[in-house]
């Protein structure tokens, strides 16, 4: 499951009568430069397991690309459709991850702790030599990739969490998380009208505030890309495809907000963002797995994706996407999103 799919009232297929509450990451060890939790940063030692469907895992995908960590931190992509045994490696030959040698992500969780409480969530970082899960703390993973992994960043990598702007980034990201990242889930998994109405109001109140903030500035904090933009992007890129209809966040489509639509297209067209997005995986996961919301499991054909590549004109606001750095190189061979899954 994605982290936000594992809270009270949410499950793999059915949703209870409690209000949606996101589960906390159970495994919160950190991989650091000094190895203080027992997990030192080391090129080639760890494997990042993601689903391209999951917005929380997608944060790590974007960060890894922008920072150029592909050769240092290998990637496993799970099938967008889990079953009762958790995320499956059915996209790989023999239905096994070729590095970890496992069929299901729960095997790495079980190596770390048998019968642990909670679901099997992505993103997850696994220690390759032992096969054990290290962390599923999606909030911390990207911050550590930006800071603790700096010795392994590519030349020209952007500073996604600049020290001078951290307080502002954290403040903006907290509002985005509470009302947008998690807000769409609160609306989608609501089991009562009042609960849904509150979540719906929070989502669009925050989107209106963000639209106003971004009206005359290219990025959320400062004049370069930061962690704050990554955290907002992964929800916005899914908004019209799944949250507008599937989660009933339907006051308006993102494409009907000129500012936010231009902003998210600007990010999508920036190397490191759109080249990690798989719209096929996104739609099939939400509409097939959430049978408590969509019992027929019918996946809608739309929306039309061609608009993602249209001019956004946000460059007129200035800003330097990568600061004093450079764009990431092309996506490594074998990690490309299939042509039929993108505009």
């Amino acid at each position: 499951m994605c982290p936000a799919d594992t809270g009270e009232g949410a499950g793999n297929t059915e949703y209870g009568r409690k209000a949606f509450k996101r589960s906390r990451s159970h495994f919160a060890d950190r991989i650091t430069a000094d190895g203080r939790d027992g997990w030192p940063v080391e090129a080639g030692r760890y494997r990042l397991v993601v689903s391209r469907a999951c917005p929380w895992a997608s944060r790590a995908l974007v960060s890894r690309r922008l920072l150029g960590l592909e050769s240092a931190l290998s990637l496993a992509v799970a099938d967008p459709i889990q079953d009762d045994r958790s995320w499956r490696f059915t996209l790989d030959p023999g239905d096994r991850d070729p590095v970890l040698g496992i069929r299901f992500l729960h095997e790495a969780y079980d190596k770390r702790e048998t019968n642990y409480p909670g679901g099997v969530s992505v993103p997850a970082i696994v220690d390759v030599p032992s096969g054990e899960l290290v962390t599923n703390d999606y909030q911390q993973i990207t911050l550590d990739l930006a800071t603790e992994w700096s010795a392994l960043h590519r030349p020209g990598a952007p500073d996604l969490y600049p020290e001078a702007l951290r307080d502002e980034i954290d403040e903006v990201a907290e509002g985005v998380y509470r009302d947008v990242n998690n807000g769409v889930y609160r609306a989608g998994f609501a089991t009562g009208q009042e609960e849904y109405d509150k979540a719906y109001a929070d989502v669009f109140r925050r989107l209106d505030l963000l639209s106003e903030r971004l009206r005359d500035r290219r990025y959320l904090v400062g004049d370069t890309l930061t962690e704050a933009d990554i955290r907002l992007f992964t929800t916005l890129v899914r908004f019209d495809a799944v949250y507008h209809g599937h989660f009933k966040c339907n006051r308006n489509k993102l494409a009907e907000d000129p500012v936010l639509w231009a902003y998210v297209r600007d990010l999508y067209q920036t190397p490191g963002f759109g080249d990690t997005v798989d719209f096929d995986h996104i739609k099939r996961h939400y509409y097939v797995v959430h049978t408590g919301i969509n019992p027929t499991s019918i996946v809608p054909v739309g929306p039309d994706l061609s608009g993602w590549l249209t001019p956004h004109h946000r460059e007129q606001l200035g800003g330097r996407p990568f600061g004093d750095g450079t764009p990431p190189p092309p996506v490594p061979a074998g990690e490309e999103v299939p042509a039929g899954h993108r505009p």
Side-chain angles (χ1 to χ4, degrees):
M1 291 174 263
C2 287
D5 290 352
T6 63
E8 292 183 18
N12 213 28
T13 57
E14 298 296 334
Y15 301 89
R17 300 305 301 172
K18 296 180 180 178
F20 175 78
K21 182 179 180 182
R22 179 186 55 85
S23 296
R24 298 181 64 183
S25 299
H26 183 66
F27 301 98
D29 286 5
R30 294 176 61 191
I31 300 171
T32 57
D34 63 8
R36 56 187 175 272
D37 283 358
W39 307 104
V41 170
E42 183 180 330
R45 176 171 174 176
Y46 306 101
R47 189 155 176 82
L48 174 65
V49 181
V50 303
S51 165
R52 293 191 187 275
C54 176
W56 318 91
S58 292
R59 296 177 176 185
L61 279 170
V62 174
S63 295
R64 176 177 172 271
R65 279 278 294 131
L66 293 175
L67 299 171
L69 289 170
E70 292 99 327
S71 62
L73 178 62
S74 66
L75 181 67
V77 179
D79 192 301
I81 310 301
Q82 333 86 298
D83 63 19
D84 292 339
R85 295 165 292 183
S86 82
W87 294 103
R88 310 174 296 169
F89 295 107
T90 50
L91 302 180
D92 296 300
D95 295 346
R96 288 185 182 273
D97 179 81
V99 173
L100 299 174
I102 58 178
R103 296 180 61 206
F104 302 95
L105 180 55
H106 80 73
E107 296 174 56
Y109 276 65
D110 289 345
K111 275 216 170 182
R112 174 69 183 273
E113 180 182 328
T114 304
N115 299 322
Y116 66 93
V120 176
S121 65
V122 289
I125 297 183
V126 178
D127 178 50
V128 174
S130 68
E132 291 184 10
L133 176 76
V134 176
T135 178
N136 65 350
D137 188 350
Y138 68 96
Q139 296 277 43
Q140 190 63 44
I141 285 173
T142 51
L143 298 180
D144 284 343
L145 292 181
T147 56
E148 299 292 335
W149 290 67
S150 59
L152 298 177
H153 290 178
R154 65 177 175 86
D159 186 353
L160 298 175
Y161 197 47
E163 193 164 356
L165 297 176
R166 287 181 187 177
D167 287 346
E168 187 177 0
I169 291 171
D170 291 347
E171 180 182 3
V172 171
E174 172 57 29
V176 167
Y177 164 74
R178 183 180 61 250
D179 297 332
V180 180
N181 300 149
N182 203 47
V184 293
Y185 280 84
R186 288 170 43 227
F189 294 157
T191 55
Q193 190 68 48
E194 183 177 353
E195 175 193 349
Y196 163 75
D197 290 349
K198 175 64 166 61
Y200 174 99
D202 288 344
V203 168
F204 286 102
R205 175 181 56 82
R206 182 64 58 178
L207 289 179
D208 288 344
L209 290 171
L210 291 166
S211 183
E212 186 59 34
R213 181 183 183 92
L214 290 164
R215 188 172 303 279
D216 57 1
R217 57 193 301 167
R218 192 170 180 185
Y219 304 113
L220 283 171
V221 180
D223 67 347
T224 65
L225 293 164
T226 69
E227 176 78 12
D229 297 294
I230 295 172
R231 295 189 178 200
L232 180 57
F233 172 78
T234 59
T235 295
L236 295 188
V237 78
R238 289 161 172 77
F239 200 89
D240 287 2
V242 289
Y243 301 142
H244 178 272
H246 185 59
F247 279 178
K248 306 179 184 69
C249 294
N250 58 0
R251 189 193 73 178
N252 57 270
K253 294 180 180 177
L254 193 69
E256 295 167 350
D257 182 309
V259 174
L260 291 180
W261 179 227
Y263 166 77
V264 74
R265 286 180 5 254
D266 185 5
L267 296 184
Y268 184 87
Q269 294 171 32
T270 298
F273 283 83
D275 53 32
T276 70
V277 176
D278 189 317
F279 284 104
D280 174 78
H281 281 203
I282 289 168
K283 292 200 302 182
R284 285 198 290 126
H285 170 76
Y286 281 89
Y287 285 102
V288 173
V289 170
H290 298 162
T291 56
I293 299 175
N294 184 38
T296 63
S297 295
I298 292 173
V299 180
V301 175
D304 179 11
L305 299 179
S306 61
W308 285 98
L309 301 180
T310 58
H312 52 76
H313 306 298
R314 294 280 294 178
E315 66 278 357
Q316 297 174 6
L317 296 174
R320 302 172 301 138
F322 305 99
D324 294 327
T326 57
V331 177
E335 293 190 8
E336 306 94 336
V337 174
H341 298 185
R342 50 188 168 84

